[in-house]
Amino acid sequence: MDIYTETILDHYQHPHHTGALNDATVSATEHNPLCGDVIKLDLKIKNNVVEKIGFVGNGCAISQASISLLCDAVEGKKISSLKKLKPKDIYDLLGVTISPGRIKCALLGLSALQKALKLTKN
Amino acid sequence: MQQIKKDFPIFKRTINGKPLVYLDNASTTQKPIVMLKVLENFYFTSNANIHRGIYTLSEEATDKYEAVRKKAAKFIGARTEEEIIFTKNTTEAINCVRVSWGEKNIKKGDEIVVSSLEHHANLVPWQELAKSKQAALKIIPLTNDYTLDAEAYKKLLSPKTKLVCLTVESNVTGTIVPVKQMTALAHAVGAKVMIDGAQSVGHIPTDVHNLNCDFFAFSAHKMLGPTGVGVLYVKQSLMEEMAPFMYGGEMVESVKATSATYRSGPWKFEAGTPNIAGVIAFGAAIDYLSNIGFKKIMAHEQELLAYAKKMLAKYPQVKIFSPSQKHAGGIISFAISGVHPHDIATIFNNEGIAIRSGLHCAEPLMNYLGVYGTARMSFYIYNTKKDIDTAEKALKKVLKTFKL
Ligand SMILES: Cc1ncc(COP(=O)(O)O)c(C=O)c1O
């Protein structure tokens, strides 16, 4: 039941892919009105592949770790495969059981990614 | 006060295998068995609609419902029960003022003054009213000590000010606002005053007559009563000119095919079947609180607040958002740099402790405080120093987990 595993704490305290991209081809912002968490995701997409990804935001350990893990998983991937990402994939990346109250935190990054992918012309 | 927990059946519960420690009383309080019995008995033995039937049950229900109007009036120092409108909560009560008074009385170029300590319930309705009427909304700023800036308030007031909206106690910092002096200043420029008593009525004595405010709103569920019952006090001289809030049954006097006339007094604002059982049970909550008395309640909360403040102050990683003034309510917000309030609440929950985390329906206030949210402990009659000791254990776990 301890969700504060080494992986989650490590990604929370030292997140990967932080910072905006100045050569982003698409961006999306997602916001959790319950806790005020906001994240902005920048993607550089070339030939239907995510070449680079960066995020700016703040939030709880779960939301930040999940975005950091997601960014690791997304870079270098094809858009077509990213469009298939499901909440379950995020829970697997996190490796802990997410209680109902924290689902929105865990999926904040995924919603931003899905928003950005929708905006990409394909 | 040590025995009081026994009156609240919920404290038999465990959370994650630990006895429940409930420190989220500013959200809603727990319910004493005497109130629950009245609620249950009404449905078991007395259920009927009010103001309708010419039969025993309906007459009984009407009498009981109206008796609570009297009781609530007395509890908050209203001059007559005709100043008491039942609503579903504080939010609805404030919106009743927006619709029934505000729509008629706020005009283009007018100004509405609200404090920066307001809950969204006493802010957003005024944002909307100001927007629709092309009136201006002015905000009373905070001092560095989490109190309202009295000088800035005076400067905001002018003959343009038509309404001033103030909370008695902040649900985030526990700040107690000097509403009586501020009401007098508002009246001096001809403005009306809307007071949000949601956090104060169950904790400190209320005397609306002495306070001399025009509108006063509060919720039963934050003072041991059931959910779904709120009160709007309206000064009698203002009620008559106010338009109905909603239209339908119960609030009408006579109805023709294409027009109707309306009842006067609070009944004009209570359209449809109200929360009869809830209102009647609310009467039992008022009795329960009256039996304990505010002297004891206040002393108890002050003791817990001081104890909690001292506990939190031991940890330099913890930032406390609480005024230094002696008179703050039993609410304390805090933050830990490097730990999100949600994570604090999750780790507290693992220890069986319920605390609130996040924005507390006071998003602008969070911006003034310069945080993304806080964790909040709020106390009531059944809390003990032991509860705060348990909170300290949880706090240590937070610091350990995040290696702070
Ligand atoms: C100061 C204040 N005003 C208004 C409200 C809203 O009360 P309700 O949700 O019962 O309408 C609250 C509740 O959190 C509050 O703390």
Side-chain angles (χ1 to χ4, degrees):
Chain A
M1 74 162 288
D2 187 15
I3 57 171
Y4 299 103
T5 58
E6 277 305 316
T7 310
I8 287 179
L9 285 172
D10 195 43
H11 277 270
Y12 171 58
Q13 290 177 329
H14 312 283
H16 306 174
H17 304 277
T18 54
L21 300 185
N22 47 23
D23 52 353
T25 55
V26 64
S27 305
T29 302
E30 199 56 281
H31 156 241
N32 181 352
L34 277 180
C35 48
D37 290 1
V38 183
I39 106 138
K40 181 171 174 277
L41 208 55
D42 283 342
L43 284 84
K44 185 183 175 207
I45 297 174
K46 208 172 158 190
N47 301 327
N48 292 325
V49 170
V50 176
E51 268 197 347
K52 255 199 284 179
I53 185 162
F55 79 95
V56 184
N58 58 72
C60 65
I62 302 304
S63 79
Q64 298 305 288
S66 102
I67 293 160
S68 172
L69 286 156
L70 179 69
C71 289
D72 279 353
V74 158
E75 210 165 73
K77 293 273 161 48
K78 277 199 177 131
I79 293 183
S80 52
S81 74
L82 294 178
K83 282 190 169 162
K84 290 187 200 126
L85 279 177
K86 300 241 155 20
K88 163 98 176 35
D89 302 311
I90 304 296
Y91 304 147
D92 288 347
L93 284 174
L94 287 165
V96 295
T97 311
I98 297 298
S99 72
R102 300 303 283 275
I103 287 176
K104 267 214 96 144
C105 312
L107 299 183
L108 195 66
L110 179 63
S111 330
L113 178 68
Q114 285 167 338
K115 229 181 189 175
L117 293 178
K118 258 196 206 134
L119 292 171
T120 356
K121 285 172 233 87
N122 196 343
Chain B
M1 303 294 274
Q2 294 302 321
Q3 295 305 310
I4 279 182
K5 258 190 189 170
K6 291 205 181 76
D7 294 345
F8 293 77
I10 201 162
F11 291 114
K12 294 199 188 94
R13 260 207 78 162
T14 54
I15 303 289
N16 294 318
K18 316 261 166 68
L20 166 66
V21 172
Y22 188 77
L23 295 176
D24 193 18
N25 293 289
S27 267
T28 196
T29 64
Q30 296 303 342
K31 316 302 175 198
I33 199 137
V34 284
M35 187 281 285
L36 296 170
K37 285 272 183 239
V38 172
L39 191 63
E40 183 183 82
N41 279 344
F42 177 76
Y43 285 123
F44 269 87
T45 66
S46 315
N47 180 53
N49 214 325
I50 54 168
H51 301 308
R52 291 182 186 186
I54 309 297
Y55 53 85
T56 304
L57 274 185
S58 175
E59 283 168 354
E60 273 178 22
T62 306
D63 284 352
K64 284 185 181 161
Y65 180 88
E66 291 301 328
V68 178
R69 198 188 302 277
K70 262 204 175 112
K71 195 171 278 187
K74 194 158 164 256
F75 194 69
I76 63 164
R79 273 207 281 195
T80 134
E81 68 272 21
E82 298 208 6
E83 296 179 314
I84 302 295
I85 299 166
F86 286 119
T87 63
K88 77 168 189 253
N89 51 33
T90 303
T91 306
E92 188 177 79
I94 294 172
N95 276 282
C96 176
V97 177
R98 172 180 66 83
V99 171
S100 300
W101 181 86
E103 283 295 331
K104 254 197 223 176
N105 290 282
I106 299 295
K107 306 209 159 63
K108 188 174 172 178
D110 286 348
E111 293 182 357
I112 301 173
V113 172
V114 305
S115 95
S116 49
L117 290 171
E118 297 314 306
H119 184 278
H120 293 164
N122 202 23
L123 169 65
V124 182
W126 309 123
Q127 292 176 344
E128 281 303 316
L129 184 66
K131 209 174 359 165
S132 73
K133 300 287 178 186
Q134 291 180 278
L137 195 66
K138 305 271 167 171
I139 315 285
I140 311 165
L142 272 190
T143 66
N144 291 334
D145 195 30
Y146 313 113
T147 58
L148 292 178
D149 185 333
E151 288 312 308
Y153 172 58
K154 283 182 200 152
K155 286 196 195 115
L156 286 178
L157 293 173
S158 79
K160 282 188 188 167
T161 316
K162 290 292 154 9
L163 180 68
V164 173
C165 306
L166 302 169
T167 186
V168 184
E169 177 175 336
S170 159
N171 67 312
V172 176
T173 59
T175 307
I176 300 212
V177 174
V179 281
K180 189 173 175 197
Q181 292 96 301
M182 293 176 78
T183 297
L185 288 168
H187 284 162
V189 297
K192 298 286 182 268
V193 178
M194 164 89 240
I195 302 287
D196 175 352
Q199 289 301 340
S200 69
V201 176
H203 301 265
I204 54 179
T206 306
D207 185 341
V208 286
H209 184 57
N210 177 263
L211 175 57
N212 199 24
C213 60
D214 302 285
F215 310 104
F216 189 100
F218 63 101
S219 296
H221 72 92
K222 290 186 196 281
M223 48 186 291
L224 311 181
T227 53
V229 177
V231 169
L232 173 62
Y233 157 88
V234 177
K235 206 185 248 176
Q236 206 167 21
S237 55
L238 287 174
M239 204 186 266
E240 210 47 51
E241 55 145 310
M242 282 166 60
F245 176 37
M246 289 187 283
Y247 298 89
E250 300 255 15
M251 50 76 67
V252 287
E253 199 175 56
S254 95
V255 182
K256 307 244 166 42
T258 57
S259 69
T261 57
Y262 309 114
R263 294 175 73 175
S264 59
W267 302 279
K268 177 163 90 178
F269 304 91
E270 293 175 17
T273 302
N275 187 348
I276 304 166
V279 166
I280 293 170
F282 178 38
I286 294 178
D287 289 341
Y288 183 90
L289 284 175
S290 305
N291 284 338
I292 299 173
F294 279 115
K295 218 174 131 195
K296 263 195 187 159
I297 296 173
M298 284 167 34
H300 183 67
E301 288 185 19
Q302 288 306 307
E303 193 183 349
L304 292 179
L305 178 68
Y307 191 71
K309 244 182 172 170
K310 217 165 118 190
M311 181 278 277
L312 291 173
K314 284 197 281 186
Y315 301 90
Q317 306 93 321
V318 174
K319 182 163 168 56
I320 303 172
F321 303 95
S322 174
S324 59
Q325 68 184 34
K326 213 159 157 249
H327 207 42
I331 295 177
I332 189 161
S333 267
F334 62 97
I336 303 172
S337 172
V339 189
H340 192 279
H342 273 14
D343 295 314
I344 301 176
T346 294
I347 293 171
F348 272 57
N349 185 55
N350 290 345
E351 301 304 309
I353 310 167
I355 59 164
R356 178 81 186 268
S357 59
L359 307 171
H360 315 289
C361 299
E363 232 176 299
L365 178 56
M366 292 298 133
N367 292 334
Y368 308 138
L369 298 179
V371 287
Y372 295 119
T374 69
R376 177 187 74 187
M377 298 193 279
S378 50
F379 312 112
Y380 210 19
I381 48 176
Y382 34 69
N383 290 119
T384 58
K385 285 187 176 169
K386 200 171 148 227
D387 291 346
I388 296 167
D389 294 339
T390 312
E392 180 169 16
K393 274 193 211 138
L395 179 64
K396 282 184 180 155
K397 288 211 167 150
V398 173
L399 298 175
K400 188 164 166 238
T401 302
F402 286 87
K403 304 182 182 85
L404 294 170

